[in-house]
Amino acid sequence: MLHKPLRCAPLARGAVVFLGAALSLGVHAQNTLPVGGIGLGVGYAPQAYTDGDKYSVLPILYYETQRWRIAGTSLDWKVYNPERWTFALRARYALGDGYDSGDAPVLDGMDDRKPGFWMGGAAAWRGDAATLSFELLGDVSGKSKGLQGKLGVERDFPMGRYTLTPYAAMVVQDKDYVNYYYGVKAGEETSGRRRYDGSTAVNVQLGLRASYALTPRHVFTADVGATALGSGIKDSPLVDRSVLPSVKLGYLYRF
């Protein structure tokens, strides 16, 4: 059996999910803006690619005002922000997407796939029972030229210094996105790697975040989750997993 290489990255795709914890801890625990926080996390979030595991050190950066929100590599401009709703224009650099051909044995001989720059719209509704969120983004960098949308729900359960937040999301990635990151082009085929044209994938995410506030400013966090991959990704000859687990631990200093 091939040994799985360890790939370390300063900020990986899992950081986007992990920054959701910073959002929950940094905003819902305070009633006034601006708010923010900085911190550091460590995580394990395997890639879908065969033998492509990823262990990451994750900087946590978050800052929000009445009009702007920065979360890692995402920037929101809130165009409408009544009491329970937020409508925003969103820009994101998808650091962590893609691969170099040396990242895993199955990728040997493939052209590198690069992260894209995404722009679009996002909305959130903060209800008494849960928070619902939606985003629709398109790749404006010309890398995949794809579209992806996300519909999510989460709820905080405060318990003194502890907060538990179960969450779920459905992520739809169109055929252009899937074909770029999981497809096999003409000239990339081998005897063990057939040509593959991707199709739209619907992925499902489930997880639980937990936090412990040692003091109002010093918070420790944990995030355990899993993503069930859609058939458009699972059917790729580059992929040998149908579920991607993730575990992340971190520290956040709120200001």
Side-chain angles (χ1 to χ4, degrees), residues 53-87:
D53 286 354
K54 182 176 289 187
Y55 298 82
S56 302
V57 177
L58 310 173
I60 302 172
L61 171 63
Y62 178 80
Y63 186 71
E64 183 169 11
T65 69
Q66 293 288 351
R67 185 60 65 185
W68 297 95
R69 174 180 175 268
I70 301 172
T73 59
S74 292
L75 173 66
D76 285 0
W77 175 45
K78 304 175 192 176
V79 295
Y80 185 53
N81 191 26
E83 182 178 357
R84 289 184 178 267
W85 285 92
T86 299
F87 296 92

PDB file of all heavy atoms in Angstrom, residues 53-87:
ATOM      1  N   ASP A  53      -3.944  13.275   1.855  1.00  0.00           N
ATOM      2  CA  ASP A  53      -4.360  13.815   3.137  1.00  0.00           C
ATOM      3  C   ASP A  53      -3.746  15.192   3.364  1.00  0.00           C
ATOM      4  O   ASP A  53      -2.702  15.524   2.816  1.00  0.00           O
ATOM      5  CB  ASP A  53      -3.948  12.880   4.277  1.00  0.00           C
ATOM      6  CG  ASP A  53      -4.823  11.633   4.336  1.00  0.00           C
ATOM      7  OD1 ASP A  53      -5.794  11.577   3.565  1.00  0.00           O
ATOM      8  OD2 ASP A  53      -4.526  10.742   5.138  1.00  0.00           O
ATOM      9  N   LYS A  54      -4.396  15.970   4.220  1.00  0.00           N
ATOM     10  CA  LYS A  54      -3.928  17.326   4.475  1.00  0.00           C
ATOM     11  C   LYS A  54      -4.015  17.633   5.962  1.00  0.00           C
ATOM     12  O   LYS A  54      -5.092  17.585   6.554  1.00  0.00           O
ATOM     13  CB  LYS A  54      -4.741  18.345   3.681  1.00  0.00           C
ATOM     14  CG  LYS A  54      -4.278  19.791   3.871  1.00  0.00           C
ATOM     15  CD  LYS A  54      -5.055  20.739   2.987  1.00  0.00           C
ATOM     16  CE  LYS A  54      -4.683  20.568   1.524  1.00  0.00           C
ATOM     17  NZ  LYS A  54      -5.306  21.595   0.668  1.00  0.00           N
ATOM     18  N   TYR A  55      -2.877  17.932   6.554  1.00  0.00           N
ATOM     19  CA  TYR A  55      -2.803  18.388   7.932  1.00  0.00           C
ATOM     20  C   TYR A  55      -2.407  19.854   7.882  1.00  0.00           C
ATOM     21  O   TYR A  55      -1.407  20.200   7.253  1.00  0.00           O
ATOM     22  CB  TYR A  55      -1.775  17.577   8.720  1.00  0.00           C
ATOM     23  CG  TYR A  55      -2.109  16.106   8.801  1.00  0.00           C
ATOM     24  CD1 TYR A  55      -1.788  15.244   7.750  1.00  0.00           C
ATOM     25  CD2 TYR A  55      -2.765  15.586   9.916  1.00  0.00           C
ATOM     26  CE1 TYR A  55      -2.102  13.900   7.817  1.00  0.00           C
ATOM     27  CE2 TYR A  55      -3.077  14.236   9.985  1.00  0.00           C
ATOM     28  CZ  TYR A  55      -2.740  13.394   8.930  1.00  0.00           C
ATOM     29  OH  TYR A  55      -3.049  12.060   9.002  1.00  0.00           O
ATOM     30  N   SER A  56      -3.171  20.707   8.536  1.00  0.00           N
ATOM     31  CA  SER A  56      -3.002  22.136   8.309  1.00  0.00           C
ATOM     32  C   SER A  56      -2.860  22.914   9.610  1.00  0.00           C
ATOM     33  O   SER A  56      -3.400  22.535  10.642  1.00  0.00           O
ATOM     34  CB  SER A  56      -4.205  22.704   7.540  1.00  0.00           C
ATOM     35  OG  SER A  56      -4.383  22.043   6.321  1.00  0.00           O
ATOM     36  N   VAL A  57      -2.128  24.004   9.503  1.00  0.00           N
ATOM     37  CA  VAL A  57      -2.113  25.037  10.530  1.00  0.00           C
ATOM     38  C   VAL A  57      -2.969  26.175   9.996  1.00  0.00           C
ATOM     39  O   VAL A  57      -2.737  26.657   8.881  1.00  0.00           O
ATOM     40  CB  VAL A  57      -0.681  25.523  10.820  1.00  0.00           C
ATOM     41  CG1 VAL A  57      -0.706  26.648  11.847  1.00  0.00           C
ATOM     42  CG2 VAL A  57       0.175  24.369  11.305  1.00  0.00           C
ATOM     43  N   LEU A  58      -3.980  26.581  10.770  1.00  0.00           N
ATOM     44  CA  LEU A  58      -5.008  27.472  10.251  1.00  0.00           C
ATOM     45  C   LEU A  58      -5.020  28.799  11.003  1.00  0.00           C
ATOM     46  O   LEU A  58      -5.501  28.869  12.138  1.00  0.00           O
ATOM     47  CB  LEU A  58      -6.391  26.822  10.387  1.00  0.00           C
ATOM     48  CG  LEU A  58      -6.544  25.390   9.867  1.00  0.00           C
ATOM     49  CD1 LEU A  58      -7.909  24.858  10.230  1.00  0.00           C
ATOM     50  CD2 LEU A  58      -6.320  25.352   8.379  1.00  0.00           C
ATOM     51  N   PRO A  59      -4.502  29.876  10.422  1.00  0.00           N
ATOM     52  CA  PRO A  59      -4.699  31.190  11.042  1.00  0.00           C
ATOM     53  C   PRO A  59      -6.180  31.547  11.044  1.00  0.00           C
ATOM     54  O   PRO A  59      -6.893  31.253  10.079  1.00  0.00           O
ATOM     55  CB  PRO A  59      -3.907  32.143  10.139  1.00  0.00           C
ATOM     56  CG  PRO A  59      -3.004  31.270   9.337  1.00  0.00           C
ATOM     57  CD  PRO A  59      -3.709  29.964   9.187  1.00  0.00           C
ATOM     58  N   ILE A  60      -6.648  32.139  12.107  1.00  0.00           N
ATOM     59  CA  ILE A  60      -8.040  32.565  12.214  1.00  0.00           C
ATOM     60  C   ILE A  60      -8.064  34.088  12.236  1.00  0.00           C
ATOM     61  O   ILE A  60      -7.418  34.706  13.082  1.00  0.00           O
ATOM     62  CB  ILE A  60      -8.715  32.009  13.479  1.00  0.00           C
ATOM     63  CG1 ILE A  60      -8.650  30.487  13.493  1.00  0.00           C
ATOM     64  CG2 ILE A  60     -10.162  32.484  13.589  1.00  0.00           C
ATOM     65  CD1 ILE A  60      -9.126  29.875  14.798  1.00  0.00           C
ATOM     66  N   LEU A  61      -8.772  34.679  11.307  1.00  0.00           N
ATOM     67  CA  LEU A  61      -8.892  36.134  11.240  1.00  0.00           C
ATOM     68  C   LEU A  61     -10.339  36.493  10.984  1.00  0.00           C
ATOM     69  O   LEU A  61     -10.958  35.974  10.056  1.00  0.00           O
ATOM     70  CB  LEU A  61      -8.005  36.700  10.121  1.00  0.00           C
ATOM     71  CG  LEU A  61      -8.198  38.189   9.803  1.00  0.00           C
ATOM     72  CD1 LEU A  61      -7.822  39.046  11.006  1.00  0.00           C
ATOM     73  CD2 LEU A  61      -7.378  38.572   8.582  1.00  0.00           C
ATOM     74  N   TYR A  62     -10.871  37.388  11.818  1.00  0.00           N
ATOM     75  CA  TYR A  62     -12.258  37.795  11.652  1.00  0.00           C
ATOM     76  C   TYR A  62     -12.417  39.241  12.108  1.00  0.00           C
ATOM     77  O   TYR A  62     -11.863  39.646  13.130  1.00  0.00           O
ATOM     78  CB  TYR A  62     -13.181  36.898  12.480  1.00  0.00           C
ATOM     79  CG  TYR A  62     -14.627  37.317  12.370  1.00  0.00           C
ATOM     80  CD1 TYR A  62     -15.376  36.955  11.257  1.00  0.00           C
ATOM     81  CD2 TYR A  62     -15.232  38.105  13.338  1.00  0.00           C
ATOM     82  CE1 TYR A  62     -16.678  37.368  11.115  1.00  0.00           C
ATOM     83  CE2 TYR A  62     -16.528  38.524  13.204  1.00  0.00           C
ATOM     84  CZ  TYR A  62     -17.254  38.156  12.097  1.00  0.00           C
ATOM     85  OH  TYR A  62     -18.546  38.582  11.960  1.00  0.00           O
ATOM     86  N   TYR A  63     -13.174  40.017  11.315  1.00  0.00           N
ATOM     87  CA  TYR A  63     -13.480  41.394  11.713  1.00  0.00           C
ATOM     88  C   TYR A  63     -14.771  41.802  11.035  1.00  0.00           C
ATOM     89  O   TYR A  63     -14.964  41.542   9.840  1.00  0.00           O
ATOM     90  CB  TYR A  63     -12.347  42.345  11.311  1.00  0.00           C
ATOM     91  CG  TYR A  63     -12.559  43.746  11.822  1.00  0.00           C
ATOM     92  CD1 TYR A  63     -12.434  44.037  13.181  1.00  0.00           C
ATOM     93  CD2 TYR A  63     -12.878  44.778  10.948  1.00  0.00           C
ATOM     94  CE1 TYR A  63     -12.631  45.329  13.657  1.00  0.00           C
ATOM     95  CE2 TYR A  63     -13.071  46.066  11.400  1.00  0.00           C
ATOM     96  CZ  TYR A  63     -12.948  46.350  12.759  1.00  0.00           C
ATOM     97  OH  TYR A  63     -13.148  47.619  13.231  1.00  0.00           O
ATOM     98  N   GLU A  64     -15.662  42.447  11.792  1.00  0.00           N
ATOM     99  CA  GLU A  64     -16.959  42.836  11.241  1.00  0.00           C
ATOM    100  C   GLU A  64     -17.383  44.197  11.748  1.00  0.00           C
ATOM    101  O   GLU A  64     -17.262  44.509  12.940  1.00  0.00           O
ATOM    102  CB  GLU A  64     -18.039  41.807  11.600  1.00  0.00           C
ATOM    103  CG  GLU A  64     -19.390  42.140  10.987  1.00  0.00           C
ATOM    104  CD  GLU A  64     -20.391  41.011  11.105  1.00  0.00           C
ATOM    105  OE1 GLU A  64     -20.124  40.052  11.839  1.00  0.00           O
ATOM    106  OE2 GLU A  64     -21.457  41.113  10.449  1.00  0.00           O
ATOM    107  N   THR A  65     -17.878  45.010  10.808  1.00  0.00           N
ATOM    108  CA  THR A  65     -18.504  46.286  11.128  1.00  0.00           C
ATOM    109  C   THR A  65     -19.945  46.254  10.609  1.00  0.00           C
ATOM    110  O   THR A  65     -20.409  45.234  10.097  1.00  0.00           O
ATOM    111  CB  THR A  65     -17.737  47.444  10.463  1.00  0.00           C
ATOM    112  OG1 THR A  65     -17.929  47.387   9.038  1.00  0.00           O
ATOM    113  CG2 THR A  65     -16.248  47.370  10.774  1.00  0.00           C
ATOM    114  N   GLN A  66     -20.632  47.376  10.738  1.00  0.00           N
ATOM    115  CA  GLN A  66     -21.997  47.436  10.230  1.00  0.00           C
ATOM    116  C   GLN A  66     -22.062  47.230   8.717  1.00  0.00           C
ATOM    117  O   GLN A  66     -23.078  46.783   8.192  1.00  0.00           O
ATOM    118  CB  GLN A  66     -22.628  48.788  10.583  1.00  0.00           C
ATOM    119  CG  GLN A  66     -22.854  49.013  12.057  1.00  0.00           C
ATOM    120  CD  GLN A  66     -23.995  48.175  12.612  1.00  0.00           C
ATOM    121  OE1 GLN A  66     -24.742  47.537  11.860  1.00  0.00           O
ATOM    122  NE2 GLN A  66     -24.154  48.164  13.922  1.00  0.00           N
ATOM    123  N   ARG A  67     -20.978  47.511   8.005  1.00  0.00           N
ATOM    124  CA  ARG A  67     -21.002  47.456   6.542  1.00  0.00           C
ATOM    125  C   ARG A  67     -20.095  46.382   5.958  1.00  0.00           C
ATOM    126  O   ARG A  67     -20.387  45.850   4.878  1.00  0.00           O
ATOM    127  CB  ARG A  67     -20.592  48.823   5.979  1.00  0.00           C
ATOM    128  CG  ARG A  67     -20.684  48.935   4.463  1.00  0.00           C
ATOM    129  CD  ARG A  67     -22.085  48.706   3.955  1.00  0.00           C
ATOM    130  NE  ARG A  67     -23.011  49.720   4.399  1.00  0.00           N
ATOM    131  CZ  ARG A  67     -24.312  49.697   4.164  1.00  0.00           C
ATOM    132  NH1 ARG A  67     -24.848  48.668   3.502  1.00  0.00           N
ATOM    133  NH2 ARG A  67     -25.100  50.661   4.597  1.00  0.00           N
ATOM    134  N   TRP A  68     -19.009  46.020   6.677  1.00  0.00           N
ATOM    135  CA  TRP A  68     -18.017  45.096   6.122  1.00  0.00           C
ATOM    136  C   TRP A  68     -17.810  43.906   7.042  1.00  0.00           C
ATOM    137  O   TRP A  68     -17.977  43.993   8.255  1.00  0.00           O
ATOM    138  CB  TRP A  68     -16.674  45.807   5.913  1.00  0.00           C
ATOM    139  CG  TRP A  68     -16.736  46.915   4.925  1.00  0.00           C
ATOM    140  CD1 TRP A  68     -16.917  48.242   5.195  1.00  0.00           C
ATOM    141  CD2 TRP A  68     -16.632  46.810   3.510  1.00  0.00           C
ATOM    142  NE1 TRP A  68     -16.932  48.967   4.040  1.00  0.00           N
ATOM    143  CE2 TRP A  68     -16.762  48.114   2.982  1.00  0.00           C
ATOM    144  CE3 TRP A  68     -16.446  45.747   2.628  1.00  0.00           C
ATOM    145  CZ2 TRP A  68     -16.703  48.387   1.622  1.00  0.00           C
ATOM    146  CZ3 TRP A  68     -16.378  46.007   1.275  1.00  0.00           C
ATOM    147  CH2 TRP A  68     -16.511  47.314   0.776  1.00  0.00           C
ATOM    148  N   ARG A  69     -17.396  42.789   6.426  1.00  0.00           N
ATOM    149  CA  ARG A  69     -17.057  41.587   7.190  1.00  0.00           C
ATOM    150  C   ARG A  69     -15.889  40.891   6.504  1.00  0.00           C
ATOM    151  O   ARG A  69     -15.929  40.614   5.308  1.00  0.00           O
ATOM    152  CB  ARG A  69     -18.254  40.632   7.260  1.00  0.00           C
ATOM    153  CG  ARG A  69     -17.972  39.292   7.916  1.00  0.00           C
ATOM    154  CD  ARG A  69     -19.246  38.452   7.926  1.00  0.00           C
ATOM    155  NE  ARG A  69     -19.031  37.115   8.437  1.00  0.00           N
ATOM    156  CZ  ARG A  69     -18.724  36.056   7.692  1.00  0.00           C
ATOM    157  NH1 ARG A  69     -18.576  36.186   6.391  1.00  0.00           N
ATOM    158  NH2 ARG A  69     -18.557  34.870   8.241  1.00  0.00           N
ATOM    159  N   ILE A  70     -14.836  40.635   7.274  1.00  0.00           N
ATOM    160  CA  ILE A  70     -13.673  39.890   6.790  1.00  0.00           C
ATOM    161  C   ILE A  70     -13.591  38.596   7.583  1.00  0.00           C
ATOM    162  O   ILE A  70     -13.597  38.608   8.822  1.00  0.00           O
ATOM    163  CB  ILE A  70     -12.372  40.689   6.974  1.00  0.00           C
ATOM    164  CG1 ILE A  70     -12.434  42.008   6.217  1.00  0.00           C
ATOM    165  CG2 ILE A  70     -11.170  39.867   6.527  1.00  0.00           C
ATOM    166  CD1 ILE A  70     -11.264  42.932   6.514  1.00  0.00           C
ATOM    167  N   ALA A  71     -13.522  37.464   6.890  1.00  0.00           N
ATOM    168  CA  ALA A  71     -13.376  36.162   7.534  1.00  0.00           C
ATOM    169  C   ALA A  71     -12.386  35.353   6.711  1.00  0.00           C
ATOM    170  O   ALA A  71     -12.735  34.790   5.676  1.00  0.00           O
ATOM    171  CB  ALA A  71     -14.709  35.434   7.643  1.00  0.00           C
ATOM    172  N   GLY A  72     -11.136  35.333   7.164  1.00  0.00           N
ATOM    173  CA  GLY A  72     -10.114  34.612   6.416  1.00  0.00           C
ATOM    174  C   GLY A  72      -9.904  35.220   5.056  1.00  0.00           C
ATOM    175  O   GLY A  72      -9.546  36.391   4.925  1.00  0.00           O
ATOM    176  N   THR A  73     -10.159  34.462   4.002  1.00  0.00           N
ATOM    177  CA  THR A  73      -9.967  34.941   2.631  1.00  0.00           C
ATOM    178  C   THR A  73     -11.277  35.419   2.001  1.00  0.00           C
ATOM    179  O   THR A  73     -11.350  35.585   0.781  1.00  0.00           O
ATOM    180  CB  THR A  73      -9.356  33.836   1.757  1.00  0.00           C
ATOM    181  OG1 THR A  73     -10.224  32.693   1.747  1.00  0.00           O
ATOM    182  CG2 THR A  73      -7.990  33.426   2.281  1.00  0.00           C
ATOM    183  N   SER A  74     -12.312  35.637   2.819  1.00  0.00           N
ATOM    184  CA  SER A  74     -13.599  36.132   2.331  1.00  0.00           C
ATOM    185  C   SER A  74     -13.809  37.576   2.764  1.00  0.00           C
ATOM    186  O   SER A  74     -13.449  37.961   3.886  1.00  0.00           O
ATOM    187  CB  SER A  74     -14.758  35.278   2.853  1.00  0.00           C
ATOM    188  OG  SER A  74     -14.737  33.991   2.300  1.00  0.00           O
ATOM    189  N   LEU A  75     -14.413  38.359   1.887  1.00  0.00           N
ATOM    190  CA  LEU A  75     -14.761  39.744   2.174  1.00  0.00           C
ATOM    191  C   LEU A  75     -16.211  39.975   1.776  1.00  0.00           C
ATOM    192  O   LEU A  75     -16.595  39.702   0.638  1.00  0.00           O
ATOM    193  CB  LEU A  75     -13.843  40.699   1.399  1.00  0.00           C
ATOM    194  CG  LEU A  75     -14.200  42.189   1.468  1.00  0.00           C
ATOM    195  CD1 LEU A  75     -14.035  42.714   2.892  1.00  0.00           C
ATOM    196  CD2 LEU A  75     -13.338  42.990   0.499  1.00  0.00           C
ATOM    197  N   ASP A  76     -17.021  40.461   2.716  1.00  0.00           N
ATOM    198  CA  ASP A  76     -18.424  40.780   2.471  1.00  0.00           C
ATOM    199  C   ASP A  76     -18.642  42.280   2.550  1.00  0.00           C
ATOM    200  O   ASP A  76     -18.132  42.949   3.473  1.00  0.00           O
ATOM    201  CB  ASP A  76     -19.330  40.120   3.511  1.00  0.00           C
ATOM    202  CG  ASP A  76     -19.508  38.637   3.279  1.00  0.00           C
ATOM    203  OD1 ASP A  76     -18.931  38.115   2.309  1.00  0.00           O
ATOM    204  OD2 ASP A  76     -20.210  37.989   4.086  1.00  0.00           O
ATOM    205  N   TRP A  77     -19.425  42.790   1.607  1.00  0.00           N
ATOM    206  CA  TRP A  77     -19.942  44.152   1.691  1.00  0.00           C
ATOM    207  C   TRP A  77     -21.444  44.033   1.869  1.00  0.00           C
ATOM    208  O   TRP A  77     -22.148  43.551   0.982  1.00  0.00           O
ATOM    209  CB  TRP A  77     -19.601  44.947   0.428  1.00  0.00           C
ATOM    210  CG  TRP A  77     -20.215  46.324   0.434  1.00  0.00           C
ATOM    211  CD1 TRP A  77     -20.249  47.222   1.463  1.00  0.00           C
ATOM    212  CD2 TRP A  77     -20.914  46.952  -0.655  1.00  0.00           C
ATOM    213  NE1 TRP A  77     -20.902  48.369   1.099  1.00  0.00           N
ATOM    214  CE2 TRP A  77     -21.313  48.237  -0.196  1.00  0.00           C
ATOM    215  CE3 TRP A  77     -21.208  46.569  -1.963  1.00  0.00           C
ATOM    216  CZ2 TRP A  77     -22.015  49.112  -1.011  1.00  0.00           C
ATOM    217  CZ3 TRP A  77     -21.909  47.449  -2.765  1.00  0.00           C
ATOM    218  CH2 TRP A  77     -22.302  48.711  -2.293  1.00  0.00           C
ATOM    219  N   LYS A  78     -21.928  44.447   3.032  1.00  0.00           N
ATOM    220  CA  LYS A  78     -23.346  44.297   3.357  1.00  0.00           C
ATOM    221  C   LYS A  78     -24.148  45.402   2.668  1.00  0.00           C
ATOM    222  O   LYS A  78     -24.068  46.568   3.027  1.00  0.00           O
ATOM    223  CB  LYS A  78     -23.552  44.372   4.870  1.00  0.00           C
ATOM    224  CG  LYS A  78     -22.733  43.367   5.656  1.00  0.00           C
ATOM    225  CD  LYS A  78     -22.915  43.604   7.146  1.00  0.00           C
ATOM    226  CE  LYS A  78     -21.901  42.835   7.959  1.00  0.00           C
ATOM    227  NZ  LYS A  78     -22.021  43.150   9.401  1.00  0.00           N
ATOM    228  N   VAL A  79     -24.920  44.993   1.696  1.00  0.00           N
ATOM    229  CA  VAL A  79     -25.710  45.971   0.949  1.00  0.00           C
ATOM    230  C   VAL A  79     -27.036  46.256   1.630  1.00  0.00           C
ATOM    231  O   VAL A  79     -27.659  47.293   1.389  1.00  0.00           O
ATOM    232  CB  VAL A  79     -25.946  45.482  -0.495  1.00  0.00           C
ATOM    233  CG1 VAL A  79     -24.623  45.406  -1.239  1.00  0.00           C
ATOM    234  CG2 VAL A  79     -26.652  44.130  -0.524  1.00  0.00           C
ATOM    235  N   TYR A  80     -27.501  45.333   2.499  1.00  0.00           N
ATOM    236  CA  TYR A  80     -28.751  45.539   3.237  1.00  0.00           C
ATOM    237  C   TYR A  80     -28.657  44.708   4.498  1.00  0.00           C
ATOM    238  O   TYR A  80     -28.384  43.506   4.442  1.00  0.00           O
ATOM    239  CB  TYR A  80     -29.948  45.114   2.384  1.00  0.00           C
ATOM    240  CG  TYR A  80     -31.288  45.410   3.011  1.00  0.00           C
ATOM    241  CD1 TYR A  80     -31.603  46.686   3.469  1.00  0.00           C
ATOM    242  CD2 TYR A  80     -32.249  44.400   3.134  1.00  0.00           C
ATOM    243  CE1 TYR A  80     -32.833  46.957   4.036  1.00  0.00           C
ATOM    244  CE2 TYR A  80     -33.487  44.672   3.697  1.00  0.00           C
ATOM    245  CZ  TYR A  80     -33.769  45.943   4.148  1.00  0.00           C
ATOM    246  OH  TYR A  80     -34.992  46.209   4.713  1.00  0.00           O
ATOM    247  N   ASN A  81     -28.869  45.350   5.659  1.00  0.00           N
ATOM    248  CA  ASN A  81     -28.595  44.660   6.910  1.00  0.00           C
ATOM    249  C   ASN A  81     -29.616  45.045   7.985  1.00  0.00           C
ATOM    250  O   ASN A  81     -29.281  45.689   8.980  1.00  0.00           O
ATOM    251  CB  ASN A  81     -27.171  45.007   7.374  1.00  0.00           C
ATOM    252  CG  ASN A  81     -26.710  44.144   8.519  1.00  0.00           C
ATOM    253  OD1 ASN A  81     -27.171  43.028   8.692  1.00  0.00           O
ATOM    254  ND2 ASN A  81     -25.795  44.674   9.325  1.00  0.00           N
ATOM    255  N   PRO A  82     -30.897  44.650   7.802  1.00  0.00           N
ATOM    256  CA  PRO A  82     -31.880  44.885   8.854  1.00  0.00           C
ATOM    257  C   PRO A  82     -31.628  43.961  10.046  1.00  0.00           C
ATOM    258  O   PRO A  82     -30.655  43.195  10.065  1.00  0.00           O
ATOM    259  CB  PRO A  82     -33.208  44.569   8.164  1.00  0.00           C
ATOM    260  CG  PRO A  82     -32.842  43.606   7.089  1.00  0.00           C
ATOM    261  CD  PRO A  82     -31.471  43.989   6.630  1.00  0.00           C
ATOM    262  N   GLU A  83     -32.541  43.979  11.020  1.00  0.00           N
ATOM    263  CA  GLU A  83     -32.266  43.317  12.301  1.00  0.00           C
ATOM    264  C   GLU A  83     -31.958  41.836  12.159  1.00  0.00           C
ATOM    265  O   GLU A  83     -30.983  41.343  12.717  1.00  0.00           O
ATOM    266  CB  GLU A  83     -33.454  43.505  13.245  1.00  0.00           C
ATOM    267  CG  GLU A  83     -33.228  42.883  14.621  1.00  0.00           C
ATOM    268  CD  GLU A  83     -34.396  43.116  15.561  1.00  0.00           C
ATOM    269  OE1 GLU A  83     -35.349  43.811  15.156  1.00  0.00           O
ATOM    270  OE2 GLU A  83     -34.365  42.594  16.684  1.00  0.00           O
ATOM    271  N   ARG A  84     -32.772  41.090  11.437  1.00  0.00           N
ATOM    272  CA  ARG A  84     -32.584  39.646  11.353  1.00  0.00           C
ATOM    273  C   ARG A  84     -31.952  39.177  10.045  1.00  0.00           C
ATOM    274  O   ARG A  84     -31.567  38.015   9.933  1.00  0.00           O
ATOM    275  CB  ARG A  84     -33.936  38.924  11.536  1.00  0.00           C
ATOM    276  CG  ARG A  84     -34.469  38.985  12.963  1.00  0.00           C
ATOM    277  CD  ARG A  84     -35.741  38.176  13.080  1.00  0.00           C
ATOM    278  NE  ARG A  84     -36.265  38.163  14.439  1.00  0.00           N
ATOM    279  CZ  ARG A  84     -35.982  37.216  15.335  1.00  0.00           C
ATOM    280  NH1 ARG A  84     -35.183  36.225  15.005  1.00  0.00           N
ATOM    281  NH2 ARG A  84     -36.495  37.265  16.542  1.00  0.00           N
ATOM    282  N   TRP A  85     -31.839  40.048   9.067  1.00  0.00           N
ATOM    283  CA  TRP A  85     -31.338  39.662   7.752  1.00  0.00           C
ATOM    284  C   TRP A  85     -30.001  40.323   7.469  1.00  0.00           C
ATOM    285  O   TRP A  85     -29.722  41.416   7.960  1.00  0.00           O
ATOM    286  CB  TRP A  85     -32.314  40.076   6.657  1.00  0.00           C
ATOM    287  CG  TRP A  85     -33.535  39.220   6.554  1.00  0.00           C
ATOM    288  CD1 TRP A  85     -34.737  39.418   7.171  1.00  0.00           C
ATOM    289  CD2 TRP A  85     -33.675  38.025   5.778  1.00  0.00           C
ATOM    290  NE1 TRP A  85     -35.620  38.429   6.832  1.00  0.00           N
ATOM    291  CE2 TRP A  85     -34.995  37.552   5.976  1.00  0.00           C
ATOM    292  CE3 TRP A  85     -32.825  37.321   4.944  1.00  0.00           C
ATOM    293  CZ2 TRP A  85     -35.468  36.404   5.369  1.00  0.00           C
ATOM    294  CZ3 TRP A  85     -33.287  36.172   4.334  1.00  0.00           C
ATOM    295  CH2 TRP A  85     -34.601  35.723   4.546  1.00  0.00           C
ATOM    296  N   THR A  86     -29.209  39.668   6.643  1.00  0.00           N
ATOM    297  CA  THR A  86     -28.020  40.280   6.054  1.00  0.00           C
ATOM    298  C   THR A  86     -27.958  39.864   4.586  1.00  0.00           C
ATOM    299  O   THR A  86     -28.025  38.675   4.272  1.00  0.00           O
ATOM    300  CB  THR A  86     -26.729  39.833   6.753  1.00  0.00           C
ATOM    301  OG1 THR A  86     -26.761  40.227   8.123  1.00  0.00           O
ATOM    302  CG2 THR A  86     -25.507  40.475   6.092  1.00  0.00           C
ATOM    303  N   PHE A  87     -27.850  40.855   3.705  1.00  0.00           N
ATOM    304  CA  PHE A  87     -27.631  40.617   2.278  1.00  0.00           C
ATOM    305  C   PHE A  87     -26.293  41.251   1.917  1.00  0.00           C
ATOM    306  O   PHE A  87     -26.055  42.428   2.234  1.00  0.00           O
ATOM    307  CB  PHE A  87     -28.748  41.223   1.431  1.00  0.00           C
ATOM    308  CG  PHE A  87     -30.090  40.610   1.683  1.00  0.00           C
ATOM    309  CD1 PHE A  87     -30.950  41.155   2.634  1.00  0.00           C
ATOM    310  CD2 PHE A  87     -30.499  39.483   0.977  1.00  0.00           C
ATOM    311  CE1 PHE A  87     -32.196  40.587   2.877  1.00  0.00           C
ATOM    312  CE2 PHE A  87     -31.742  38.912   1.214  1.00  0.00           C
ATOM    313  CZ  PHE A  87     -32.592  39.464   2.160  1.00  0.00           C
TER     314      PHE A  87
END
